[in-house]
Amino acid sequence: MLRRAFVWMLGVFVCCMFVVSGRAEANDGQIVRLPDPEIRGGLPLMECLQKRHTDRNLGSEDLTLPEVSNILWAAFGVNRSDGRHVIPTARNQQKVQVFAVLGDGVWRYLPDKNSIEKVLDGDRRRDFDGSSLILLYAAPANDPFGGMHVGSMYQNVGLSCASRDVPN
């Protein structure tokens, strides 16, 4: 059974500043290859739209790697052989990033490899709300399309969770 996950959207242009500002603690740059996402099954789109809602009763138990893979792939995964992403990007620019705050650190999603790279050690979930998973979306401040791209990522995750009946 899928555990509860929470998607935390801090703001389009300021999220992840503690990660990308250089204040991060030393880490080993560990890269973990995620399992292939489950791209079959789930509810039809219209049912997902009807079921999508925010649930504040969230669990804090760790998610499995397949669960993390499904959520990150929905946010910004590659779904075509030419390397394009599941979200639309204006002028095919992919300047956005998504980070996963997990129990063992903060990880940057590497969509072209469906992998995660540790960028910050330690459990930082209490810095937010203690949920199993917190996603941080980042776009450069000077990107006029960043808000649209981050919004697409956020919506994809919500619909993916609704499709699998996972509160978000």
Side-chain angles (χ1 to χ4, degrees), residues 33 72-73 75-79 83 85 94 96-98 108-116:
R33 170 88 168 112
L72 289 173
W73 185 84
F76 198 48
V78 172
N79 68 344
H85 296 269
Q94 286 102 36
V96 292
Q97 295 185 57
V98 61
R108 177 183 16 245
Y109 182 54
L110 307 172
D112 56 329
K113 300 173 184 167
N114 195 45
S115 299
I116 50 177

Coordinates of all heavy atoms in Angstrom, one line a residue, residues 33 72-73 75-79 83 85 94 96-98 108-116:
R33 N 20.0 5.2 -8.6 CA 19.2 5.0 -9.7 C 17.8 4.5 -9.2 O 17.7 3.6 -8.4 CB 19.8 3.9 -10.6 CG 18.9 3.4 -11.7 CD 19.0 4.2 -12.9 NE 18.3 3.6 -14.0 CZ 17.2 4.0 -14.6 NH1 16.6 5.2 -14.2 NH2 16.6 3.4 -15.6
L72 N 8.5 11.6 -8.5 CA 9.4 12.4 -9.1 C 9.3 12.4 -10.7 O 9.4 13.4 -11.3 CB 10.9 12.1 -8.7 CG 11.2 12.5 -7.3 CD1 12.6 11.9 -6.9 CD2 11.2 14.0 -7.1
W73 N 9.0 11.2 -11.2 CA 8.8 11.1 -12.6 C 7.6 11.9 -13.0 O 7.6 12.6 -14.1 CB 8.6 9.6 -13.0 CG 8.6 9.4 -14.5 CD1 9.6 9.4 -15.4 CD2 7.4 9.3 -15.3 NE1 9.1 9.2 -16.7 CE2 7.7 9.2 -16.6 CE3 6.0 9.3 -15.0 CZ2 6.8 9.1 -17.7 CZ3 5.1 9.2 -16.0 CH2 5.5 9.1 -17.3
A75 N 6.6 14.5 -11.7 CA 6.9 16.0 -11.6 C 7.7 16.4 -12.8 O 7.5 17.5 -13.4 CB 7.7 16.2 -10.3
F76 N 8.8 15.6 -13.2 CA 9.7 16.2 -14.2 C 10.4 15.1 -15.0 O 11.4 15.3 -15.6 CB 10.7 17.1 -13.6 CG 11.4 18.0 -14.6 CD1 10.7 18.7 -15.5 CD2 12.7 18.2 -14.5 CE1 11.3 19.6 -16.4 CE2 13.4 19.0 -15.4 CZ 12.7 19.7 -16.4
G77 N 9.8 13.9 -15.0 CA 10.4 12.8 -15.7 C 10.5 12.9 -17.2 O 9.9 13.8 -17.8
V78 N 11.3 12.1 -17.8 CA 11.4 12.1 -19.3 C 10.5 11.0 -19.8 O 10.6 9.8 -19.3 CB 12.9 11.8 -19.7 CG1 13.0 11.5 -21.2 CG2 13.8 12.9 -19.2
N79 N 9.6 11.4 -20.7 CA 8.7 10.4 -21.2 C 8.8 10.1 -22.7 O 7.9 9.5 -23.3 CB 7.2 10.8 -20.9 CG 6.8 12.1 -21.6 OD1 7.6 12.8 -22.2 ND2 5.5 12.3 -21.6
G83 N 14.2 12.8 -25.1 CA 14.6 13.5 -23.8 C 13.7 14.5 -23.3 O 14.0 15.2 -22.3
H85 N 10.3 16.1 -21.5 CA 9.7 15.8 -20.2 C 8.2 15.7 -20.2 O 7.5 16.1 -21.1 CB 10.1 16.9 -19.2 CG 11.6 17.0 -19.0 ND1 12.2 16.3 -18.0 CD2 12.5 17.7 -19.7 CE1 13.5 16.6 -18.0 NE2 13.7 17.4 -19.0
Q94 N 14.4 23.7 -20.1 CA 14.3 22.9 -18.9 C 15.2 23.4 -17.8 O 16.1 22.8 -17.3 CB 14.6 21.4 -19.1 CG 13.5 20.7 -19.9 CD 13.9 20.5 -21.3 OE1 15.0 20.3 -21.7 NE2 12.9 20.6 -22.2
V96 N 14.1 24.3 -14.8 CA 13.6 24.0 -13.4 C 14.2 22.7 -12.9 O 14.8 21.9 -13.6 CB 12.0 23.8 -13.5 CG1 11.4 25.2 -13.8 CG2 11.6 22.8 -14.5
Q97 N 14.1 22.6 -11.6 CA 14.6 21.4 -10.9 C 13.6 21.0 -9.8 O 12.9 21.9 -9.3 CB 16.0 21.6 -10.3 CG 17.1 21.9 -11.3 CD 18.4 22.0 -10.5 OE1 18.9 21.1 -9.8 NE2 19.1 23.2 -10.7
V98 N 13.7 19.8 -9.4 CA 12.9 19.3 -8.3 C 13.8 18.6 -7.3 O 14.6 17.8 -7.7 CB 11.6 18.5 -8.7 CG1 12.0 17.2 -9.4 CG2 10.7 18.2 -7.5
R108 N 18.5 15.8 -5.3 CA 18.1 16.5 -6.6 C 17.7 15.4 -7.5 O 18.4 14.4 -7.7 CB 19.3 17.3 -7.1 CG 19.0 17.9 -8.5 CD 20.1 18.6 -9.1 NE 21.4 18.4 -8.6 CZ 22.2 19.2 -7.9 NH1 21.8 20.5 -7.7 NH2 23.4 18.9 -7.5
Y109 N 16.6 15.6 -8.2 CA 16.1 14.6 -9.2 C 16.9 14.8 -10.5 O 17.0 16.0 -11.0 CB 14.6 14.7 -9.4 CG 14.0 13.8 -10.4 CD1 14.2 12.4 -10.3 CD2 13.3 14.2 -11.5 CE1 13.7 11.5 -11.2 CE2 12.7 13.3 -12.4 CZ 13.0 11.9 -12.2 OH 12.4 11.1 -13.1
L110 N 17.4 13.8 -11.0 CA 18.1 13.8 -12.3 C 17.2 13.1 -13.4 O 17.3 11.9 -13.5 CB 19.5 13.1 -12.2 CG 20.4 13.6 -11.1 CD1 21.6 12.7 -10.9 CD2 20.8 15.0 -11.3
P111 N 16.3 13.8 -14.0 CA 15.3 13.2 -14.9 C 15.8 12.4 -16.0 O 15.3 11.4 -16.4 CB 14.5 14.4 -15.3 CG 15.3 15.6 -15.2 CD 16.3 15.3 -14.1
D112 N 17.0 12.8 -16.6 CA 17.5 12.1 -17.8 C 18.0 10.7 -17.4 O 18.0 9.8 -18.2 CB 18.6 12.9 -18.5 CG 19.7 13.2 -17.6 OD1 19.5 13.4 -16.3 OD2 20.9 13.3 -18.0
K113 N 18.3 10.5 -16.1 CA 18.7 9.1 -15.6 C 17.7 8.5 -14.7 O 18.0 7.4 -14.2 CB 20.0 9.3 -14.9 CG 21.1 9.9 -15.8 CD 22.4 10.1 -15.0 CE 23.4 10.8 -15.9 NZ 24.5 11.4 -15.1
N114 N 16.6 9.2 -14.4 CA 15.6 8.7 -13.4 C 16.4 8.3 -12.2 O 16.2 7.2 -11.6 CB 14.7 7.6 -13.9 CG 13.5 7.5 -13.0 OD1 12.9 8.5 -12.6 ND2 13.2 6.3 -12.6
S115 N 17.2 9.2 -11.7 CA 18.0 9.0 -10.5 C 17.9 10.2 -9.6 O 17.4 11.3 -10.0 CB 19.5 8.9 -10.9 OG 19.7 7.7 -11.8
I116 N 18.4 10.0 -8.4 CA 18.5 11.1 -7.4 C 19.9 11.3 -6.9 O 20.6 10.3 -6.8 CB 17.5 11.0 -6.2 CG1 17.6 9.6 -5.6 CG2 16.1 11.2 -6.7 CD1 16.7 9.4 -4.3

